[in-house]
């Protein structure tokens, strides 16, 4: 076992709910689009190359939300026969919007709000999860994965928000920082973190997290990369 822990985060492929959120009356994910399935296949091919390298993934963890599950299935198909342990982690799901009733987002009131929302400590809907609560829950899940799989290489297939959770968890940011900084992640974009403990005077006994790369989407066609769609 290595003395370093590596967490590789992958966002799911494009989902129907990403394109038709305003038409979705209950907020239930109906899975990937055709484009999203193609993105997941490209991600699988990219990760298969890593599995053939000197350091393989030791475990694959994923969100229970359908778009992440379908992405995981397509990645596993690309990896082919392997003994990679699979873990579904409930707390890696996206933020809970609660019993919204009717259209889950009203632009006039912005009741769900931007992600991250401007009022991170407030419930966007009665019974919904505040962004601060989401960060606490999902950050705790990532830190627990790192603890349980110390010294291993962990692949996590989840959501764009998970990359934000990693920033807060690994950099020890307060939830208030969500109004100042957040990552942009392409569908199936990869973000890599490494944790190590240093036997040096003054080193934090909890170790240090290093951000190795953020939103690596070079396996995607240019039109699918988030920077190509950003305002110039």
């Amino acid at each position: 076992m290595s003395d370093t822990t590596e967490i590789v985060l992958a966002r799911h492929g494009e989902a129907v709910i990403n394109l038709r959120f305003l038409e979705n009356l209950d907020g239930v994910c109906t899975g990937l689009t055709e484009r999203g399935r193609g993105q997941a296949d490209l991600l699988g091919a990219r990760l298969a190359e890593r599995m053939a390298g000197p350091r393989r993934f030791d475990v694959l963890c994923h969100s229970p939300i359908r778009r992440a599950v379908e992405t995981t299935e397509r990645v596993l198909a690309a990896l082919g026969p392997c003994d990679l342990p699979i873990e579904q982690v409930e707390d890696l799901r996206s933020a809970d919007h609660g019993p919204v009733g009717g259209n889950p987002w009203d632009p006039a009131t912005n009741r769900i709000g931007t992600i991250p929302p401007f009022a991170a400590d407030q419930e966007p809907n009665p019974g919904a999860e505040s962004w601060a609560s989401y960060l606490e829950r999902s950050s705790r899940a990532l830190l627990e994965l790192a603890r349980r799989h110390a010294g291993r290489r962990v692949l996590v297939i989840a959501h764009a928000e998970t990359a934000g959770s990693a920033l807060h968890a690994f950099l020890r940011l307060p939830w208030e920082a969500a109004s100042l900084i957040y990552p942009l992640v392409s569908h199936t974009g990869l973000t890599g973190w490494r944790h190590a403990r240093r036997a040096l005077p003054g080193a934090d006994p909890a170790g240090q997290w290093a951000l190795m790369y953020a939103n690596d989407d070079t396996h995607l066609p240019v039109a699918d990369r988030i920077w190509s769609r950003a305002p110039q």
Side-chain angles (χ1 to χ4, degrees), residues 6-189:
E6 187 175 341
I7 306 289
V8 177
L9 306 172
R11 186 185 180 187
H12 58 78
E14 180 188 81
V16 175
I17 198 171
N18 297 135
L19 302 182
R20 304 178 63 182
F21 190 66
L22 294 180
E23 301 173 27
N24 192 313
L25 298 182
D26 55 13
V28 174
C29 179
T30 56
L32 301 177
T33 63
E34 181 177 356
R35 186 181 194 179
R37 290 190 287 272
Q39 293 167 341
D41 292 341
L42 290 171
L43 173 63
R46 175 80 178 279
L47 295 174
E49 295 177 1
R50 296 195 179 192
M51 287 293 285
R55 190 178 182 194
R56 298 162 55 91
F57 289 109
D58 297 297
V59 61
L60 190 162
C61 303
H62 66 86
S63 158
I65 304 297
R66 180 171 172 178
R67 53 191 179 273
V69 172
E70 290 187 5
T71 301
T72 298
E73 291 170 347
R74 299 188 83 88
V75 165
L76 289 172
L79 295 182
C82 64
D83 56 356
L84 187 65
I86 311 298
E87 297 181 9
Q88 178 169 293
V89 182
E90 184 67 24
D91 280 346
L92 288 179
R93 68 190 184 276
S94 53
D96 298 328
H97 296 312
V100 294
N103 200 317
W105 181 51
D106 178 6
T109 61
N110 198 25
R111 55 184 178 167
I112 281 182
T114 56
I115 294 179
F118 298 125
D121 60 333
Q122 298 177 20
E123 295 180 352
N125 287 300
E129 183 176 36
S130 71
W131 194 252
S133 175
Y134 164 74
L135 286 176
E136 194 280 330
R137 182 242 304 163
S138 53
S139 296
R140 183 180 64 244
L142 288 172
L143 290 170
E144 175 61 15
L145 285 181
R147 185 195 66 79
R148 288 196 294 108
H149 298 295
R152 296 180 174 179
R153 197 173 193 219
V154 184
L155 173 63
V156 177
I157 298 179
H159 307 274
E161 301 97 302
T162 314
S165 298
L167 281 177
H168 285 261
F170 301 154
L171 299 184
R172 307 180 195 179
L173 298 177
W175 62 261
E176 293 90 344
S179 64
L180 303 174
I181 183 172
Y182 67 96
L184 289 175
V185 184
S186 302
H187 288 109
T188 70

